Amino acid sequence: QVQLVESGGGLVQPGGSLRLSCAASGSIFSINAMGWYRQAPGKQRELVAAITSGGSTNYADSVKGRFTISRDNAKNTVYLQMNSLKPEDTAVYYCHADLRSPWGEDFGSWGQGTQVTVSS
């Protein structure tokens, strides 16, 4: 069994910063891509940023230049540094990982989500 545990969400004023973390644990042989998604009320879940095991990244246009994704492969952890936050960044943020089990099975796993609220 695999768990993705997120932390770091909260309430922040416009222009502020937050750092999200997501740690994967359990029966993991390797982790390929890791990413952050978000879902605002009444909207579909959307990709915010993703990073491969080799460090290649991609971002949604709406967060380019403000958010930075990074990972620590030794800790099976992915981070999302969010700067210059805007009210439209308000959403539940979910971590996702593409994993391989010790038995060679490839599968995806989601975290439970962490609320980010940007408001004055």
Side-chain angles (χ1 to χ4, degrees):
Q1 190 164 351
V2 172
Q3 278 191 318
L4 298 182
V5 179
E6 299 141 341
S7 61
L11 172 64
V12 64
Q13 292 186 343
S17 297
L18 282 175
R19 189 191 193 211
L20 305 183
S21 300
C22 172
S25 63
S27 301
I28 300 170
F29 176 75
S30 64
I31 303 177
N32 190 7
M34 301 185 82
W36 290 95
Y37 291 72
R38 67 186 180 187
Q39 187 166 19
K43 295 188 176 182
Q44 288 189 330
R45 190 173 297 189
E46 62 174 359
L47 176 67
V48 176
I51 185 168
T52 67
S53 57
S56 297
T57 60
N58 69 285
Y59 297 92
D61 287 343
S62 59
V63 306
K64 282 181 181 177
R66 300 188 297 122
F67 291 11
T68 302
I69 189 170
S70 61
R71 64 190 282 174
D72 184 333
N73 291 331
K75 295 181 179 179
N76 287 345
T77 299
V78 63
Y79 307 96
L80 185 68
Q81 178 66 43
M82 304 185 293
N83 298 329
S84 302
L85 282 161
K86 304 175 181 180
E88 50 263 43
D89 295 317
T90 296
V92 178
Y93 283 70
Y94 297 90
C95 173
H96 181 271
D98 291 323
L99 307 160
R100 175 163 289 179
S101 75
W103 307 277
E105 177 188 10
D106 292 326
F107 61 101
S109 184
W110 290 95
Q112 80 284 0
T114 185
Q115 177 70 46
V116 172
T117 302
V118 185
S119 175
S120 55

